[in-house]
Amino acid sequence: MFDRLVQRSSKHMARLELVIAVSLLGLTCVSPLLATGIPEGSRHLVTIGVLAVQTLLVLRLVRRLEQTTKGFRESLGKLVTQLRKSGIETTTATVSPEIATTDWGDKYKAVCDEINKILLEFTHLKQQCATAEVRSQRYSLINQRLNDLMNVVPDPILLVDGSGQIVSCNRAAQHQLKIRDSSSVDNTGDQDTSLFNELLEQVKKNRGANAVFDWRVNSSSGQTTYYRVLTREVSSDNGNRSDASGDRAIFLQDLTPLHELRKRHAEFVSAASHEMKAPLAAIRAYTEMLLDGDATDDETREQFLSTIETQSQRLQRLVENLLNIARIEAGIMKVHKQAISVNEILQEAGRLMTAAANEKGITLALELSPLYLPIHVDRDLMLQAVINLISNAVKYTPQNGNVTVRSQLQDSTIVVEVEDTGVGMSPADMERLFEKFYRVEAHKQMAPGTGLGLALTKHIVEDVHGGKISVQSKVNEGSVFTIALPRASAKTAPVRMPTEFAEV
């Protein structure tokens, strides 16, 4: 394409030379005429003719010059446009013989060669720029994905240089160590936070290529956090570790939940041992008295044996509750669910607890819904859960008090309530009420217990049957325990008429 433009320019130059030659020839012819003694009229006529011809030649010369200049301008313009485009091919200009024989040819070819050299360099540079841009976009995408991956990690991750400045960190580190976002920690030196400085001191104390140590953090609010800290030296590009750089990656693993679990396990073992110790001590004491012959008559011997039996039953209930809780938490509890009316379970529980209520002069009433309320549950486990609630209500209600058991339907949920007029409890006690072995300190002298009944009830209702248990209480006014269970579907509930329920 560039060759065609040069050839067109060469033709314009050849035409320019022809016009100049004709003009010079006309001037040569006119000059003798003006010098000879021809008649004045003829001389004027010839002069006018020559001038007219010369004028035409000059006009044509100007037009050719304009065309030639335009041709050069278009040629150079096309070349510049080619330079701005991508993927252009290298061209070689061919100078026409007409221009090559003049001074213009050498200069024109030199300009074209220089432009071609620039064109080659520009093309190579543009290819390098395109390759670099692709690599930059690829590295930027990889870097963004790595940042997203680090931010997903819930534990703090940091990269620290040899001077102790943060090069990079994830969001967990920003939040837990109270560090500003990574855009403000790059080489600014503004990292004067107590937690970060304390971490750096611990890292310096445990210097090593692959150091592992535990770090305990006490916050101003009194909360304690336990971390497992791992440090790794960052390798250079060739894979060698350089002590001169001192860059170090720091990984923090929050072990606080594990410490809490260990603490609760220790408390569980201690409480279980304590609860087992009392009945075992009573059984041993009365057994020794029987063996020593302290029971001299049948009545005393019967009393000792009755105490031993009572404590044995208490110990058996404790072991059974522990086993049931362990089975439920491990997911190996054998459950046999069936569709049954919730009122049947409540009525059975009421019958079993009537004697205990009567001993304290407590009125136990069942306010059951006249509707048939089917639930899909393990009958024995749900009966045990309801008995635990009624038993607690009877235990912590003073004499001549009231305990009321209700059932009702709320939308598609069946609700069971056990309300008492007992001693009640504080909000702080309600938060821990369903923990294993937890007992309200102010109520321990009112009735014996292991602190496992409500914990087991919560497991039965929520973990086994997918329900919900809650409590509302006021000190010296009483408590209301609420169980919410999904109503059994038509596929699981048998079709039968509601039965009459008597008040206990």
Side-chain angles (χ1 to χ4, degrees):
M1 179 179 181
F2 185 60
D3 291 340
R4 290 199 300 270
L5 295 176
V6 173
Q7 290 175 2
R8 289 177 57 188
S9 300
S10 299
K11 291 181 181 179
H12 290 316
M13 294 295 296
R15 292 173 181 173
L16 175 62
E17 292 176 355
L18 179 62
V19 172
I20 293 174
V22 173
S23 299
L24 292 177
L25 179 63
L27 291 175
T28 303
C29 296
V30 172
S31 296
L33 291 176
L34 294 177
T36 57
I38 61 175
E40 185 176 357
S42 298
R43 192 168 56 250
H44 287 300
L45 182 61
V46 171
T47 302
I48 292 172
V50 172
L51 290 175
V53 173
Q54 187 65 29
T55 301
L56 292 175
L57 291 175
V58 170
L59 292 175
R60 186 170 182 82
L61 173 63
V62 172
R63 182 177 298 176
R64 292 299 183 186
L65 286 174
E66 290 179 351
Q67 292 177 353
T68 303
T69 303
K70 183 178 179 182
F72 277 107
R73 187 167 60 249
E74 289 179 354
S75 299
L76 293 177
K78 295 287 186 179
L79 184 58
V80 171
T81 302
Q82 289 178 348
L83 288 174
R84 293 177 179 176
K85 290 181 179 180
S86 59
I88 54 178
E89 298 178 357
T90 305
T91 58
T92 303
T94 303
V95 184
S96 64
E98 293 84 355
I99 298 179
T101 56
T102 64
D103 293 338
W104 287 75
D106 295 338
K107 295 179 180 179
Y108 186 80
K109 190 175 185 303
V111 171
C112 291
D113 292 341
E114 188 67 24
I115 291 175
N116 278 329
K117 186 186 297 182
I118 296 173
L119 176 61
L120 288 173
E121 294 179 356
F122 177 80
T123 303
H124 182 64
L125 180 61
K126 192 166 185 179
Q127 291 175 349
Q128 290 180 337
C129 290
T131 303
E133 183 177 0
V134 172
R135 290 180 179 177
S136 176
Q137 292 177 353
R138 185 183 304 167
Y139 293 151
S140 177
L141 179 60
I142 294 175
N143 183 56
Q144 182 62 39
R145 290 180 177 177
L146 288 176
N147 288 335
D148 294 340
L149 179 61
M150 287 182 59
N151 289 329
V152 170
V153 178
D155 293 326
I157 301 176
L158 304 94
L159 180 62
V160 182
D161 61 18
S163 62
Q165 304 302 316
I166 297 179
V167 179
S168 179
C169 64
N170 64 347
R171 291 177 184 171
Q174 297 169 20
H175 175 70
Q176 298 184 30
L177 300 180
K178 297 180 175 56
I179 300 173
R180 297 182 181 179
D181 59 9
S182 56
S183 62
S184 64
V185 299
D186 291 340
N187 303 323
T188 61
D190 187 16
Q191 300 302 324
D192 191 18
T193 62
S194 59
L195 281 179
F196 179 69
N197 289 337
E198 184 179 348
L199 175 61
L200 286 183
E201 290 297 326
Q202 294 294 327
V203 171
K204 292 178 182 178
K205 291 180 181 179
N206 297 272
R207 197 74 178 177
N210 298 316
V212 180
F213 59 92
D214 291 335
W215 180 38
R216 177 177 175 177
V217 179
N218 296 318
S219 63
S220 57
S221 61
Q223 184 178 2
T224 303
T225 306
Y226 299 88
Y227 289 106
R228 174 69 52 82
V229 182
L230 296 86
T231 63
R232 297 290 185 271
E233 290 185 356
V234 179
S235 302
S236 58
D237 295 338
N238 57 8
N240 298 324
R241 290 186 172 91
S242 175
D243 294 336
S245 63
D247 289 352
R248 186 173 294 271
I250 303 176
F251 306 88
L252 281 75
Q253 182 182 5
D254 190 355
L255 299 181
T256 305
L258 180 59
H259 277 263
E260 292 294 331
L261 183 61
R262 290 175 178 173
K263 181 180 178 181
R264 294 182 63 183
H265 181 266
E267 292 175 351
F268 175 81
V269 173
S270 176
S273 301
H274 176 74
E275 293 296 333
M276 290 182 178
K277 187 184 297 183
L280 285 174
I283 293 172
R284 180 177 180 180
Y286 281 96
T287 302
E288 289 179 352
M289 285 190 292
L290 287 173
L291 293 175
D292 293 340
D294 293 340
T296 57
D297 53 70
D298 293 340
E299 183 178 354
T300 304
R301 193 164 32 252
E302 188 71 24
Q303 182 181 356
F304 286 1
L305 292 174
S306 176
T307 302
I308 293 174
E309 182 182 10
T310 301
Q311 296 301 321
S312 299
Q313 292 175 354
R314 177 184 175 186
L315 185 60
Q316 182 181 5
R317 287 195 300 269
L318 175 62
V319 173
E320 288 179 352
N321 287 336
L322 286 174
L323 289 175
N324 286 334
I325 292 176
R327 292 190 187 104
I328 293 174
E329 290 180 344
I332 59 175
M333 186 74 175
K334 293 182 179 180
V335 179
H336 304 283
K337 292 184 179 181
Q338 59 179 329
I340 188 174
S341 170
V342 70
N343 290 341
E344 291 185 14
I345 295 177
L346 299 182
Q347 190 177 29
E348 178 67 16
R351 281 196 294 264
L352 294 175
M353 292 303 302
T354 299
N358 291 337
E359 287 180 4
K360 295 184 64 176
I362 295 174
T363 302
L364 177 60
L366 299 182
E367 297 180 359
L368 306 181
S369 171
L371 301 175
Y372 174 64
L373 305 179
I375 53 176
H376 194 242
V377 297
D378 185 299
R379 184 184 184 282
D380 295 336
L381 289 178
M382 189 55 61
L383 178 61
Q384 183 178 0
V386 175
I387 289 176
N388 288 343
L389 295 183
I390 299 176
S391 175
N392 269 12
V394 172
K395 284 181 181 180
Y396 300 107
T397 298
Q399 292 184 353
N400 302 320
N402 296 300
V403 175
T404 305
V405 181
R406 302 186 184 91
S407 66
Q408 56 183 317
L409 178 65
Q410 295 181 0
D411 298 330
S412 59
T413 302
I414 294 176
V415 178
V416 175
E417 292 182 351
V418 177
E419 181 179 2
D420 63 62
T421 57
V423 293
M425 67 193 81
S426 66
D429 290 324
M430 284 190 289
E431 291 181 0
R432 301 190 57 190
L433 191 61
F434 295 101
E435 294 181 9
K436 291 189 288 289
F437 295 107
Y438 180 78
R439 298 188 65 194
V440 179
E441 190 67 30
H443 302 165
K444 287 184 177 180
Q445 301 302 323
M446 293 186 64
T450 61
L452 292 175
L454 291 179
L456 179 59
T457 300
K458 182 177 177 67
H459 278 300
I460 293 174
V461 173
E462 296 187 353
D463 297 335
V464 178
H465 296 100
K468 186 70 176 177
I469 186 170
S470 59
V471 59
Q472 294 180 346
S473 183
K474 291 184 179 180
V475 178
N476 298 324
E477 293 186 13
S479 305
V480 179
F481 286 84
T482 303
I483 295 177
L485 294 168
R487 185 179 184 181
S489 63
K491 294 182 180 180
T492 58
V495 179
R496 57 179 175 176
M497 296 299 294
T499 58
E500 296 295 334
F501 300 102
E503 187 179 36
V504 179

